[in-house]
Amino acid sequence: MTARPKALQLSLQPTQAVDGSVAVFLYPFKSELMRRKEDNILWALFKGPDDVTTRTIDRAIADAARYWRVSSALDGGSRPDRLRVDYLVLRAQLREAIARRSWIGKLVKIGVSLVPVISFLSAIATLAGTSVPQLWSRMHPSADAVMPVIAGWYTFCPQDGTGASPKLLDLLYDIRQNAGKVAFFDVQVDVACVMGTAFDPAAAVSRKAEERSLTYSFGPGQAGQNDTDGERPPMKPGQLVAENGAFVTVLDDRDVRNALTRLGINAEGVDAELYGPYLIKADGEDATLTLTLSAPTLDSTMQDAATAIAAQRRAAHENDPPPNGVPQPIKLSAAGLQRLQALAISPAASTASGVRPPTALPPLDDGSLGRLPPLPTPLPAPHLLPCPVSRQAHNDLTEPLTSDDQQAAGSRSAQTVRT
């Protein structure tokens, strides 16, 4: 059984030299699965122990905590933490350059003298609703601001012949390579043939769908050299799938942290869809690799990058070939539509096309008509109910006629007789 990956160093270490000077070093989180480029950070250098005050120690502890969060694959730290760590790394490099007493050190001293000016400009930019690092990141995007894209169409059912790839280890490979980052997913997995099956972590690949989460398991010892695409660099045995297996858990964006992340569980009854940016966290406890995908909160730079990638993915899907076995609409021009209409109404055209026109039936003679049963007797007309009469109309009909009304009625009757 493979031993659990152990964290190395992860400490705040003061050291005193022979001349009495004191140096404070910060050591990051380092494991067998992940490590940073630098081995440590020279946080500060003092002439003697008397210069190390209580306030200095508190600041060193705070920076060490930020450094540990940023160097951890399970946390990654916030953006202010990452900016602070980048500043500490740059400051340590400048101190080393100054210590060499070269011409680079002189340039560094000039740069350090410009720090108050930059701080003043930063304060003005903050009042204006932005900041100097944000402006710099917009003009010169850093490597962290570039969001990797994980895209693919996979299937549990290669026998359906949909054209999707059955190599689901490619998906695990891509997620494993981007652990600790925010990646943009455009992944679809066909699951029609495994709907309703039991979850089996010991199987080569299995899935478990819940109300707000989706889990894929990859059994130990099931990964082979031919199970991944040849374009992906090979990994050592046990590096892709750990001794006790690997799990990929995708969480729904129940808190609506951004407008792009979307998890479709059993979409249309046959697919699982992962779309939008996801934060990938890795955990290697008990010889089991666990990768958790959750919706991140994006800053303005990451939001712009995700929006641009979403537009690119939409444009790419417009050129996708139609899936196999799905009826596609027929596109006809106006001339083609007129030819189809003429073919439908023309008997000659129907005969030329191989479809014979319908044959008319001969008329019936008198003898045949006499043998037909008589037509049924029509039903009597329904009895009409009297129309309701208002009270005013009833009074007009029942009250006696006046002499003027009788004379007018007589004149109309005489006129009718003459007509």
Side-chain angles (χ1 to χ4, degrees):
M1 179 175 179
T2 304
R4 176 180 176 180
K6 297 181 180 180
L8 304 177
Q9 298 181 353
L10 187 67
S11 62
L12 186 155
Q13 182 177 346
T15 304
Q16 187 173 11
V18 179
D19 58 352
S21 60
V22 177
V24 180
F25 292 91
L26 305 181
Y27 289 88
F29 179 89
K30 184 188 301 183
S31 68
E32 299 174 0
L33 299 176
M34 183 176 180
R35 63 180 58 197
R36 289 181 62 87
K37 295 180 180 180
E38 72 277 356
D39 295 332
N40 55 57
I41 294 179
L42 175 60
W43 185 79
L45 184 63
F46 305 96
K47 294 181 179 180
D50 296 337
D51 296 335
V52 182
T53 62
T54 303
R55 183 170 179 270
T56 302
I57 296 175
D58 294 339
R59 291 172 54 195
I61 294 174
D63 286 339
R66 295 188 184 97
Y67 193 31
W68 298 336
R69 287 195 296 267
V70 171
S71 61
S72 173
L74 300 179
D75 192 337
S78 61
R79 183 173 178 81
D81 292 341
R82 294 193 295 270
L83 291 176
R84 176 64 178 175
V85 170
D86 292 341
Y87 167 73
L88 293 177
V89 172
L90 178 61
R91 189 177 66 179
Q93 295 173 352
L94 295 179
R95 283 177 175 168
E96 293 179 359
I98 294 175
R100 288 196 296 266
R101 299 182 181 277
S102 60
W103 61 273
I104 299 178
K106 297 180 181 179
L107 295 178
V108 168
K109 290 182 179 180
I110 297 175
V112 172
S113 64
L114 297 177
V115 170
V117 178
I118 297 176
S119 301
F120 175 74
L121 295 176
S122 177
I124 296 177
T126 302
L127 295 176
T130 183
S131 63
V132 173
Q134 289 180 353
L135 293 176
W136 179 263
S137 62
R138 292 178 181 178
M139 293 184 295
H140 306 279
S142 62
D144 295 337
V146 177
M147 187 179 299
V149 177
I150 299 177
W153 183 22
Y154 302 96
T155 181
F156 279 84
C157 319
Q159 66 276 7
D160 292 346
T162 58
S165 172
K167 297 183 177 182
L168 286 165
L169 282 177
D170 288 346
L171 178 60
L172 175 63
Y173 184 98
D174 294 339
I175 297 175
R176 176 65 186 85
Q177 289 296 100
N178 293 282
K181 301 178 182 179
V182 175
F184 193 98
F185 281 75
D186 187 7
V187 175
Q188 178 179 342
V189 183
D190 296 342
V191 295
C193 63
V194 294
M195 294 290 294
T197 58
F199 178 64
D200 184 10
V205 183
S206 184
R207 66 183 294 273
K208 179 174 64 174
E210 298 180 348
E211 183 179 0
R212 291 187 174 272
S213 65
L214 187 63
T215 301
Y216 294 97
S217 68
F218 300 85
Q222 303 292 341
Q225 187 69 24
N226 298 327
D227 293 335
T228 56
D229 194 347
E231 297 180 356
R232 292 171 172 80
M235 283 189 171
K236 298 179 180 179
Q239 187 176 4
L240 183 58
V241 179
E243 182 177 351
N244 291 336
F247 296 86
V248 176
T249 301
V250 188
L251 303 178
D252 189 14
D253 187 11
R254 65 181 65 187
D255 299 329
V256 193
R257 297 182 180 180
N258 63 78
L260 295 174
T261 301
R262 182 178 71 252
L263 172 61
I265 302 177
N266 301 337
E268 299 182 0
V270 295
D271 297 328
E273 297 178 355
L274 284 70
Y275 186 84
Y278 280 92
L279 174 62
I280 305 174
K281 296 182 179 179
D283 185 10
E285 295 185 358
D286 299 331
T288 301
L289 176 62
T290 302
L291 300 167
T292 304
L293 279 59
S294 59
T297 301
L298 305 177
D299 57 16
S300 58
T301 303
M302 299 295 285
Q303 181 67 38
D304 294 342
T307 303
I309 294 174
Q312 295 173 1
R313 299 308 305 171
R314 285 194 298 268
H317 285 308
E318 291 179 356
N319 299 325
D320 288 346
N324 297 334
V326 178
Q328 300 298 319
I330 301 176
K331 298 181 179 180
L332 294 176
S333 61
L337 184 59
Q338 291 178 358
R339 286 195 298 269
L340 285 180
Q341 291 176 349
L343 182 64
I345 62 178
S346 174
S350 300
T351 305
S353 63
V355 180
R356 300 182 62 182
T359 305
L361 297 176
L364 296 177
D365 53 5
D366 295 338
S368 299
L369 289 176
R371 290 192 297 269
L372 293 177
L375 296 176
T377 306
L379 297 176
H383 179 68
L384 299 178
L385 296 177
C387 179
V389 182
S390 63
R391 183 180 298 274
Q392 181 63 32
H394 177 72
N395 295 335
D396 294 341
L397 294 174
T398 55
E399 66 181 1
L401 297 176
T402 61
S403 58
D404 296 336
D405 296 336
Q406 292 177 356
Q407 292 179 0
S411 61
R412 286 196 295 271
S413 299
Q415 184 177 1
T416 301
V417 170
R418 288 196 297 270
T419 306

